[in-house]
Amino acid sequence: MKLLDAERASLPPTDALHHEPLAATCTYAVYDPLSHTCATASAGRPSCVIAHPGGTLEIPDTATGPTLGEADSTPFAATTFGMPEGDTLALASPSMTSDPAGEPGILRQALSRADRPLPDLRDEILFSFAADAAATPAAVLLARVCRFPSDRVATWQIDADPTAVAAARRHVRAQLAAWDVEEETADNTGLIVSELVTNAVRHGRPPIELRLINDRTLTCEVRDTSPAAPHLRHARTVDEGGRGLFIIGRLAQVWGTRYAAEGKTIWAEQSLPSPSG
C-alpha cells in the first residue's frame, strides 16, 4: 500500500487519480492442518467461501476490519473456524461471490460441484468469468484441505521441572534419528529444544507441550498456558543467562510466538537439506 500510495502521490496534480484516496480490501487466511482449523482476518468486506465435499457451501461469519489505506486504526480481529479434510477454501474478490440480483455468482456456481480436481474448478471459473460481459477485474485463490501424515508429527508432555530439559532432548534425538534427519540439523534442534523448554519451565505455566513437525521444514514448538512471552536481548559477557532466544535466532531460519486463548506457543523453524539424487 505504501508503494502504491507513493506512486499515486507522484502523479501530476492535474491527474484525476492524484487526489483520489487509495484503498484496498484484503482477506488473509492461515490453515492449521494439525488442528483442522482456519484463522482469517479481513480488511473490508470478507470474501471467503467454504465448499464441503457434499456440495454444501458456507460463508464463514468472519470479523471485518477497516479497508487498507483508511485512516481508521482499529486493530484487526481474527476469526477461527473448523475445516475438516476434503473441504475447499476459496478466497476471491467480493464481486465473484454473488451478482447484483442476488443469484449465486460465478464462484459459488462452480463450488457447488467442488468434488472435482482443483484445476477443473479453476478452468470453469476462468471460462465463466471470461464469458461474462459484465464481469469486473477479480482474483480467486483455491485451496483444498488434506490430512497431514500422523507419522510426521511427534508430541510430548513436559514436566514443569528442570530435569525435564534433558528428557526432552532425548525424546527429540530419538525422533530425529527415526526420521533420518542429518546430524547437524539434529544437533541444532537439540539446542533449540533445550532453550525453549528451559524458558517454558522457568517462566511459563504448566501444562507444557513439546511438538516436532517434519514437513518441508522442521518446526519445533513449545506451548504453555502463560500469556507472557520471552524477549530477545543481548546478554553481557558477565551475564549467566539471557542468551536463549539469541541462540535460537542464530540456529533457526525463522522463529516467533503464536498466541491463543489460553497461553502461547514459541516456535522455531529450520530448513531441511534437499534429498540427494
Side-chain angles (χ1 to χ4, degrees):
M1 288 295 296
K2 289 183 179 180
L3 292 176
L4 292 174
D5 193 46
E7 289 181 6
R8 180 162 292 191
S10 66
L11 293 173
T14 55
D15 193 304
L17 292 177
H18 180 82
H19 301 288
E20 184 177 329
L22 180 64
T25 60
C26 176
T27 300
Y28 190 90
V30 177
Y31 179 72
D32 185 343
L34 302 179
S35 65
H36 301 289
T37 58
C38 184
T40 64
S42 181
R45 180 183 170 188
S47 51
C48 176
V49 180
I50 300 174
H52 301 296
T56 305
L57 301 184
E58 176 185 354
I59 298 180
D61 184 15
T62 57
T64 302
T67 302
L68 297 180
E70 289 186 8
D72 189 347
S73 59
T74 303
F76 291 94
T79 302
T80 302
F81 47 87
M83 280 193 65
E85 182 180 11
D87 278 1
T88 300
L89 176 68
L91 301 178
S93 302
S95 60
M96 296 190 71
T97 305
S98 60
D99 65 19
E103 296 295 328
I106 293 172
L107 181 64
R108 294 176 65 182
Q109 289 181 26
L111 290 177
S112 64
R113 302 179 303 282
D115 292 332
R116 296 169 293 163
L118 288 184
D120 292 349
L121 287 174
R122 176 203 60 200
D123 291 345
E124 179 181 339
I125 293 169
L126 292 176
F127 180 81
S128 300
F129 189 75
D132 187 352
T136 57
V140 61
L141 174 67
L142 300 173
R144 178 159 296 151
V145 175
C146 299
R147 182 181 299 277
F148 192 83
S150 59
D151 61 347
R152 311 303 285 179
V153 182
T155 305
W156 302 274
Q157 300 302 313
I158 305 298
D159 295 331
D161 186 283
T163 61
V165 178
R169 284 198 303 266
R170 289 194 298 270
H171 290 316
V172 167
R173 291 292 301 193
Q175 185 60 65
L176 294 181
W179 284 339
D180 198 24
V181 173
E182 56 103 16
E183 191 67 22
E184 181 179 356
T185 302
D187 289 342
N188 291 342
T189 305
L191 291 173
I192 290 172
V193 166
S194 294
E195 299 300 335
L196 291 182
V197 173
T198 297
N199 276 334
V201 170
R202 289 181 177 176
H203 309 295
R205 190 166 58 205
I208 301 171
E209 182 181 88
L210 167 63
R211 183 166 71 175
L212 284 182
I213 305 170
N214 184 4
D215 194 15
R216 288 172 294 183
T217 58
L218 181 65
T219 303
C220 175
E221 301 180 342
V222 173
R223 180 182 63 84
D224 71 85
T225 56
S226 170
H231 298 284
L232 178 65
R233 66 185 181 90
H234 293 275
R236 298 172 300 176
T237 304
V238 296
D239 290 343
E240 295 183 2
R243 297 177 177 83
L245 291 183
F246 184 78
I247 292 173
I248 292 171
R250 293 299 297 263
L251 297 178
Q253 184 179 17
V254 63
W255 68 276
T257 304
R258 185 172 66 248
Y259 294 95
E262 296 184 357
K264 66 180 181 302
T265 298
I266 311 294
W267 56 269
E269 183 179 286
Q270 299 175 83
S271 58
L272 290 172
S274 301
S276 57

